Amino acid sequence: MKTRAALAAVGVGFGLWGVWLMFQSLQLPQLIRLPLWLGGVVIADDFFLVPTTVAIGWLVTRWSIGPGHHRTVGAVRTTLLYVGITTLIAIPLLLRQGKGANPTVLPRDYLRDWLLLEATIIVSGTVIFLLQRSRLTFRRSRASSGDIGGR
């Protein structure tokens, strides 16, 4: 119990220190825009990202119910997970590009690089999916030929 209270106190302390640093580094107009930005993030999350994620998850689940799909659904879920994670990581870079940001920090074409990364993930996931599917077909055909022989 003492450890939990100590960790909670340390966490609250770090949080308060972060708020203090934020108030020191931001000016009043930025502090006024901050709640608007945070509210926009909540709205974008609740009305776009969450319904999209739930819909894609529902579609993948419905698809995985089909015959033989339960073994290949891992490749589809993993591909979608990696696309989602890399997109979330890339969003700040994509939004800041071209806004007069420090050119030494953002010298690259992040949109092109992100699209190449997503294409690589999707192609890799498709190859793995097709390999798993072809192995399942091969195993199924060998098992059924053994059954025909009466073994």
Side-chain angles (χ1 to χ4, degrees):
M1 186 69 174
K2 291 180 182 182
T3 306
R4 184 180 293 175
L7 287 174
V10 169
V12 169
F14 275 123
L16 291 173
W17 181 48
V19 169
W20 181 66
L21 290 175
M22 180 183 69
F23 282 126
Q24 278 189 335
S25 64
L26 295 178
Q27 298 170 356
L28 184 62
Q30 294 170 323
L31 287 172
I32 293 171
R33 287 193 315 245
L34 182 63
L36 295 174
W37 184 85
L38 291 173
V41 167
V42 169
I43 289 171
D45 181 62
D46 289 347
F47 292 109
F48 178 70
L49 291 176
V50 171
T52 303
T53 304
V54 169
I56 290 172
W58 182 82
L59 287 172
V60 169
T61 302
R62 296 294 300 162
W63 171 78
S64 69
I65 293 172
H69 291 166
H70 63 281
R71 294 187 181 163
T72 57
V73 73
V76 174
R77 286 182 179 166
T78 303
T79 301
L80 291 174
L81 178 70
Y82 287 161
V83 165
I85 288 171
T86 54
T87 299
L88 284 176
I89 291 170
I91 284 175
L93 297 172
L94 295 172
L95 293 177
R96 286 290 294 168
Q97 190 168 359
K99 303 276 191 214
N102 185 351
T104 60
V105 176
L106 299 171
R108 301 183 52 93
D109 183 5
Y110 282 102
L111 179 61
R112 183 200 64 212
D113 294 347
W114 173 72
L115 289 172
L116 287 171
L117 176 64
E118 300 305 314
T120 303
I121 292 170
I122 291 170
V123 166
S124 300
T126 304
V127 167
I128 291 170
F129 170 79
L130 292 174
L131 285 173
Q132 286 179 344
R133 198 168 127 204
S134 67
R135 281 192 211 149
L136 290 173
T137 305
F138 179 68
R139 285 186 196 150
R140 193 179 304 132
S141 66
R142 289 193 60 185
S144 62
S145 67
D147 293 338
I148 294 172
R151 294 182 190 175

